[in-house]
Amino acid sequence: DFLDTDPPGQFVRFRFFGTPIAHVSADLLREMGRTSLSQRESRFDFETATKRVARNCARELQDACAAPSTALIWVVAAPGKGKSVVSVDAASAYLRDGGFALWLSEQDVNGAESLWHAVDSALRRDHPSLEPEAGRHALSIAQPTQRLVLVMDDLNLLPASEVAFRKVSNWAHHMADVKNSSGAGQGASSSCVIVCPVWPQHLEQLERSSSAPAESPLWERILDVPNFSSSEAELVFSGTGLSALEVERIANALGSDPLLCAIAAKDIRRVGNAEPHGPAEVLRRYFNQQLRRVAKSAGHPVSEYLNALQRLAETMLRSKDFRPTWTTVRNWIDGADTRQRLTEALDAHAIIHLASSSEVLLFSHDRFLDVLCAEAIPAVINDSEVRSEPYFAERSEEHTSELQ
């Protein structure tokens, strides 16, 4: 009976015999935490990540996750600054220290009516045989001293991202209300905390549309992910053979940007080139490396893939749609050869990929989209109808400033 019906027993049976699990246990929740965080690390945007650096802000985030009154932590930075890496690092450390953690994809959050539905969706990725309302049971396992850290990631990439962020905020608010209604007051402990990476402009938009007071509630925290400190830059460039002075010179030239420093360090290890480069040069070189990777895997010239991606970016600008589905892209692109080059880029898992369930086309790094949109702007700017639109003017300014 223990192995058949008891939740811990079912987990033992699964581990040794591979028998499907119906009931959620603490052991299963920890196992799913390790699995889900590993799944996040395997996504394309972690390829050049700063994950090899133990960042101070990750330790600060881990401490914030353990703070008993906190229900929601916004992890704020622009694309490529390491929001997701810091969030996963902190959640993984909290899990190793005896707590619980789980990564929820953008689709888990986007399709959920409530917090437990989102958790349920994440659990069923690997255990579809779980009983109904398994997500609700998972939330009940966590305790104020062993909290469940829920990393809700990549919501920035959703077409209706503001709706998703508002949903997350409401879930956290509800948790705080339930906690306070127990009679313990504002200092009461919650058994769950949401960690949500967000771009600054999305958080500002959320704050502008909120009817709440300007001051953040006690259950909400904002953690900014800064550029690299000098010690963090030294860690990223370790193994390159550079002196501390050379590392400082290159990091300063790149504005201590985490993504650009990681790319530059990888280049130096590969070719031994320690010459200083500007941000646009480093990003373009990495983009070209990914193009060559696609060309090598599919056997067509690099120029054909570049032309296809430039056509895609120009159409995104004209359509004001930067998160199209693959079906939409196929309808946009008339030429069979161009569609085939984009398909081959998807198959190579470089530069572009599809979100698993929604089939939304995404760029592996948003700055790849910035590069292509900035190059497409001259072709679009001559169209007076497009140029006169405030949306286009604002977007073109964003992409141009990203590359400066």
Side-chain angles (χ1 to χ4, degrees):
D1 287 348
F2 171 75
L3 293 179
D4 289 335
T5 60
D6 192 79
Q10 284 198 348
F11 180 75
V12 171
R13 189 177 62 173
F14 165 75
R15 290 295 299 271
F16 286 95
F17 305 110
T19 308
I21 293 179
H23 303 301
V24 181
S25 65
D27 289 332
L28 176 64
L29 189 55
R30 285 201 176 90
E31 177 79 9
M32 280 302 303
R34 288 187 287 269
T35 300
S36 65
L37 292 170
S38 177
Q39 289 170 346
R40 179 60 184 96
E41 289 182 334
S42 69
R43 280 194 167 192
F44 306 105
D45 55 341
F46 264 54
E47 182 179 355
T48 62
T50 59
K51 59 185 177 183
R52 304 185 191 283
V53 179
R55 301 200 64 185
N56 294 331
C57 53
R59 287 189 286 271
E60 183 181 347
L61 177 56
Q62 183 185 353
D63 292 340
C65 288
S69 61
T70 303
L72 172 62
I73 305 170
W74 300 112
V75 182
V76 186
K81 300 289 186 179
K83 299 180 301 300
S84 296
V85 177
V86 166
S87 299
V88 168
D89 280 353
S92 297
Y94 190 81
L95 184 63
R96 288 193 300 270
D97 287 349
F100 299 98
L102 191 68
W103 168 66
L104 282 68
S105 74
E106 68 276 20
Q107 298 307 323
D108 294 327
V109 174
N110 197 40
E113 297 178 0
S114 66
L115 180 60
W116 78 258
H117 281 104
V119 173
D120 194 87
S121 175
L123 293 174
R124 292 184 191 280
R125 275 201 302 270
D126 292 300
H127 294 282
S129 60
L130 285 170
E131 63 188 329
E133 301 195 5
R136 191 192 300 276
H137 297 157
L139 291 174
S140 69
I141 290 172
Q143 301 295 325
T145 55
Q146 289 181 304
R147 307 181 82 196
L148 173 58
V149 177
L150 298 172
V151 180
M152 299 187 179
D153 199 12
D154 279 347
L155 305 188
N156 296 290
L157 304 177
L158 290 170
S161 57
E162 183 183 356
V163 174
F165 287 123
R166 173 65 58 199
K167 181 190 295 187
V168 169
S169 179
N170 289 340
W171 289 345
H173 195 172
H174 176 70
M175 283 194 296
D177 285 346
V178 170
K179 173 192 68 178
N180 294 331
S181 67
S182 66
Q186 287 290 314
S189 297
S190 172
S191 59
C192 181
V193 57
I194 297 172
V195 173
C196 191
V198 59
W199 293 343
Q201 62 267 34
H202 286 166
L203 185 60
E204 290 170 7
Q205 187 178 27
L206 187 66
E207 291 172 341
R208 285 198 302 269
S209 64
S210 174
S211 58
E215 186 176 343
S216 296
L218 294 177
W219 49 264
E220 181 185 66
R221 288 194 56 177
I222 296 174
L223 186 141
D224 292 308
V225 177
N227 285 335
F228 278 151
S229 64
S230 57
S231 60
E232 289 170 341
E234 287 180 10
L235 287 173
V236 166
F237 284 95
S238 63
T240 60
L242 300 179
S243 67
L245 187 60
E246 289 173 315
V247 168
E248 182 181 7
R249 176 168 55 87
I250 294 175
N252 286 341
L254 297 174
S256 297
D257 183 284
L259 176 63
L260 297 180
C261 286
I263 294 171
K266 186 177 181 179
D267 279 349
I268 293 169
R269 292 189 190 96
R270 184 172 56 88
V271 300
N273 182 4
E275 291 299 315
H277 299 291
E281 294 171 295
V282 169
L283 185 60
R284 185 72 211 201
R285 188 183 310 110
Y286 181 57
F287 179 78
N288 289 340
Q289 289 171 4
Q290 297 303 301
L291 275 178
R292 289 193 292 271
R293 175 180 158 190
V294 176
K296 183 178 179 180
S297 68
H300 293 278
V302 168
S303 60
E304 292 189 15
Y305 296 101
L306 178 59
N307 290 338
L309 290 165
Q310 287 173 333
R311 172 75 185 281
L312 173 63
E314 180 180 336
T315 310
M316 284 179 164
L317 280 169
R318 292 183 182 277
S319 303
K320 298 182 290 187
D321 184 357
F322 296 89
R323 296 289 182 266
T325 64
W326 179 235
T327 300
T328 300
V329 171
R330 289 179 62 85
N331 291 334
W332 281 346
I333 307 298
D334 295 329
D337 288 344
T338 301
R339 287 201 302 267
Q340 183 59 29
R341 297 297 86 80
L342 292 175
T343 299
E344 289 162 357
L346 288 170
D347 292 340
H349 303 303
I351 300 180
I352 56 175
H353 65 279
L354 296 181
S356 55
S357 58
S358 65
E359 290 202 341
V360 170
L361 187 142
L362 303 172
F363 281 77
S364 300
H365 292 283
D366 281 270
R367 293 197 222 178
F368 286 167
L369 177 58
D370 293 329
V371 168
L372 290 165
C373 284
E375 292 176 352
I377 285 171
V380 179
I381 201 72
N382 292 324
D383 187 331
S384 59
E385 183 178 336
V386 174
R387 188 174 62 244
S388 63
E389 291 197 23
Y391 178 94
F392 174 77
E394 180 182 348
R395 191 72 190 190
S396 63
E397 183 179 344
E398 284 180 16
H399 286 302
T400 303
S401 65
E402 277 287 334
L403 296 175
Q404 292 176 344

